[in-house]
Amino acid sequence: MYVWEFAALKPYWGLIWQGLLVTVFYTVTTVAAGLVIGLIVGILRTTAPRWIAVPLRLYIEIFRCTPLLVQLVWMYYALPVLIGVDMSPAMACFIALSLYAGSFYAEIFRGGIEAVDVGQWEAGRAIGMRRGKIFRRIVLPQATQVMIPSFINQTIMQLKNTSLVSVVAVGDLLYQGSVITAASYRPLEVYTTIAVLYFVVLFPLTLVADRVELRMGAHR
Amino acid sequence: MSALIASNIHKAFGDHEVLKGVSLDVARGEVVTLIGASGSGKSTFLRCLNLLEMPQQGELAIGTHQFAFGRGVRPAGDAQLALLRRSVGMVFQHFNLFPHMSVLRNITEGPVQVKGMAQAEADALGRDLLAKVGLADKADAFPSRLSGGQKQRVAIARALAMKPEVMLFDEPTSALDPELVGEVLAVIRSLASEGMTMVLVTHEMTFAADVSTRVGFMNDGIMAEIGTPEETIRQPRSERLKSFLSRFHETH
Ligand SMILES: Nc1ncnc2c1ncn2[C@@H]1O[C@H](COP(=O)(O)OP(=O)(O)OP(=O)(O)O)[C@@H](O)[C@H]1O
Ligand SMILES: [Mg+2]
């Protein structure tokens, strides 16, 4: 019978806390950057001419159809060689995670925008509204309602995906876990704690998601 | 005095010529109804009148707004189109209310966002219009809580809120259960009696005969016959119109 010894982690709480902050930091910043990219790319894909829309489609497919781990490693090892700039692991991770999130958010935005009935655009035009205003006031709010569940799912995935940055030695929660394991020889306690921490952060988010979904559905 | 003049309107979708030179001159206060078989181009023509569809040839004059279409004529920009549409209201078959806004906000959206009216003033206007269409108690409801007939009456109020010079209706009662048709027609009838200039597409032949100053029969992309309801509906001249009307009476 294994004897759990969580007390052995006591000296390492500072490191774990640091790791958690890094994980949350990467999630928040790359979700924010990904949303900006996704909104712009998503809108352009629904409205822009082909010569813009096609390259954007290519970007989306490349990032959706290669593993994030490969993207991270590629950004870290290959991109600096190609463009001749040194890139810190932190920067490479930020770029890869943002572009990755952006590609998924772009598809969510596009899907949401296209799900809005063309009759809504026409009704806006018929009362004399201009295109931008119809988009902001009529289409986007409705698209957002459709998008929210997928958006929250993707954001939860994004937080979990940040664990991959540990591969290029960025000190996130998982990376600190491996450091602490090496020092304490307590892998069970360490990785159990880390799993619990991910869960504690994410579970409330799923509850919020359910709430939002319910409320959004209220006046349908 | 003409409220609307459309001359020689042509519209094709790809190779498919839907309007082959349709003209219509509507005097102020007139109610013109368009009838015709499915696919004859009624909706397309109506949508050309507020330029939701862009004609490829012809001219359109509504109030002070003038447009010409064709090769070598610079197409109107978004801003010009928006300006025209302020003075032309449109009511759609499927209502197209904004589902994320309350009934009152649906109505005030145009005045506030397009004309820059103060929200309080627009609210007052909106409540007046709701009273007029018999829905004073629904101001704060969301569209999903309304029956089809109520939705269409809100849609009419939304169009009226822009104080249009002309109202266009595209089969406003076709999506409604039969028992709800009357309440919408009653609103349109009262608008007619107030002298609102209207062009409407409808299959409600009795109503059309009753409320219209003229009835136009569209066939295969042209205005095949147009005249008083008496002339068009009771004394059709062409075989096409006769057979349309007799087929129509069999199925309705
Ligand atoms: N956006 C479009 N793209 C391609 N074809 C179109 C488009 N809009 C209309 N059409 C075609 O134009 C023709 C005329 O359509 P329209 O909707 O004007 O007919 P209608 O007289 O209103 O018929 P209905 O009584 O069925 O409403 C139809 O053959 C239709 O398929
Ligand atoms: Mg039609």
Side-chain angles (χ1 to χ4, degrees), chain B:
Chain B
M1 172 123 182
S2 294
L4 178 162
I5 305 174
S7 337
N8 194 30
I9 299 290
H10 285 257
K11 177 73 186 178
F13 296 105
D15 291 340
H16 183 188
E17 253 195 295
V18 175
L19 300 177
K20 304 169 183 169
V22 181
S23 300
L24 181 65
D25 185 332
V26 183
R28 193 150 291 164
E30 253 202 296
V31 178
V32 176
T33 302
L34 302 177
I35 60 174
S38 180
S40 57
K42 304 181 297 293
S43 297
T44 306
F45 181 63
L46 203 67
R47 291 161 58 83
C48 282
L49 299 181
N50 67 348
L51 300 183
L52 280 184
E53 298 291 357
M54 219 19 110
Q56 281 127 357
Q57 201 185 312
E59 281 165 41
L60 177 68
I62 294 181
T64 56
H65 308 277
Q66 306 227 356
F67 296 87
F69 317 97
R71 255 188 272 276
V73 185
R74 206 161 62 90
D78 196 37
Q80 258 178 302
L81 296 178
L83 224 46
L84 166 78
R85 293 180 190 134
R86 285 186 188 200
S87 40
V88 184
M90 181 172 245
V91 174
F92 301 89
Q93 182 174 351
H94 296 287
F95 332 123
N96 299 353
L97 293 179
F98 306 133
H100 58 304
M101 295 180 186
S102 70
V103 161
L104 188 60
R105 283 284 183 275
N106 263 274
I107 298 171
T108 61
E109 182 70 7
V112 172
Q113 293 300 324
V114 177
K115 288 186 168 169
M117 188 184 281
Q119 186 68 50
E121 193 187 337
D123 283 351
L125 169 68
R127 287 183 196 282
D128 281 352
L129 288 168
L130 278 175
K132 182 179 166 131
V133 299
L135 293 171
D137 54 331
K138 298 291 185 195
D140 300 318
F142 277 87
S144 60
R145 293 277 170 270
L146 304 181
S147 73
Q150 292 172 330
K151 282 182 192 164
Q152 196 60 298
R153 285 186 280 155
V154 172
I156 293 172
R158 176 176 68 180
L160 290 175
M162 293 301 289
K163 303 218 188 314
E165 293 162 33
V166 179
M167 285 281 283
L168 310 174
F169 295 82
D170 192 0
E171 302 199 32
T173 58
S174 295
L176 301 180
D177 292 338
E179 72 271 21
L180 302 177
V181 168
E183 63 192 56
V184 172
L185 293 184
V187 170
I188 299 176
R189 192 188 298 273
S190 82
L191 286 176
S193 68
E194 290 167 22
M196 173 64 79
T197 310
M198 299 192 273
V199 181
L200 63 127
V201 174
T202 184
H203 294 299
E204 299 291 331
M205 216 56 85
T206 327
F207 176 76
D210 197 27
V211 81
S212 310
T213 52
R214 281 184 298 158
V215 177
F217 170 60
M218 288 191 66
N219 186 46
D220 199 20
I222 59 165
M223 190 73 77
E225 276 187 48
I226 184 160
T228 63
E230 183 63 23
E231 289 164 349
T232 311
I233 299 179
R234 312 252 183 269
Q235 301 151 19
R237 281 170 292 151
S238 67
E239 286 309 315
R240 282 290 176 83
L241 179 50
K242 280 178 194 160
S243 75
F244 170 77
L245 288 171
S246 66
R247 248 181 302 134
F248 189 85
H249 288 307
E250 278 162 26
T251 50
H252 286 74

Side-chain angles (χ1 to χ4, degrees), chain A:
Chain A
M1 207 21 209
Y2 185 79
V3 185
W4 294 87
E5 197 69 68
F6 282 101
L9 300 187
K10 206 160 170 238
Y12 305 109
W13 271 113
L15 272 183
I16 292 174
W17 178 241
Q18 243 179 44
L20 186 61
L21 284 183
V22 169
T23 293
V24 170
F25 173 79
Y26 266 101
T27 308
V28 171
T29 55
T30 62
V31 163
L35 275 178
V36 173
I37 297 171
L39 182 61
I40 294 170
V41 173
I43 291 172
L44 285 178
R45 276 208 65 199
T46 58
T47 55
R50 277 183 64 85
W51 64 272
I52 297 179
V54 167
L56 291 178
R57 169 92 198 267
L58 194 68
Y59 148 67
I60 289 170
E61 296 307 343
I62 288 174
F63 277 83
R64 291 203 314 168
C65 301
T66 54
L68 176 57
L69 185 53
V70 173
Q71 294 166 22
L72 275 171
V73 174
W74 192 89
M75 288 286 171
Y76 182 51
Y77 291 106
L79 190 61
V81 178
L82 288 180
I83 60 174
V85 217
D86 254 357
M87 200 173 315
S88 67
M91 195 59 196
C93 288
F94 174 77
I95 294 175
L97 281 169
S98 300
L99 288 174
Y100 176 82
S103 68
F104 279 89
Y105 288 139
E107 283 301 274
I108 295 172
F109 274 114
R110 186 182 64 87
I113 292 166
E114 283 175 358
V116 176
D117 180 28
V118 290
Q120 293 292 307
W121 286 96
E122 294 192 340
R125 287 156 76 198
I127 53 172
M129 291 175 89
R130 305 277 300 269
R131 211 175 306 149
K133 206 161 234 184
I134 300 174
F135 183 75
R136 282 197 314 279
R137 297 195 46 90
I138 311 292
V139 175
L140 198 56
Q142 295 181 56
T144 312
Q145 290 187 359
V146 179
M147 284 165 15
I148 282 202
S150 341
F151 167 72
I152 289 175
N153 270 336
Q154 191 55 44
T155 304
I156 288 170
M157 298 273 282
Q158 184 73 0
L159 192 143
K160 291 195 276 189
N161 282 335
T162 57
S163 63
L164 293 173
V165 304
S166 59
V167 172
V168 290
V170 169
D172 77 320
L173 187 54
L174 184 61
Y175 180 80
Q176 301 298 11
S178 61
V179 170
I180 297 166
T181 303
S184 67
Y185 305 108
R186 284 281 169 190
L188 265 74
E189 285 83 353
V190 172
Y191 288 120
T192 305
T193 305
I194 281 168
V196 167
L197 283 174
Y198 274 112
F199 184 85
V200 165
V201 174
L202 284 175
F203 184 62
L205 201 57
T206 64
L207 293 183
V208 172
D210 293 347
R211 270 286 168 73
V212 172
E213 220 174 314
L214 268 180
R215 277 203 22 214
M216 287 285 176
H219 57 250
R220 283 273 164 129

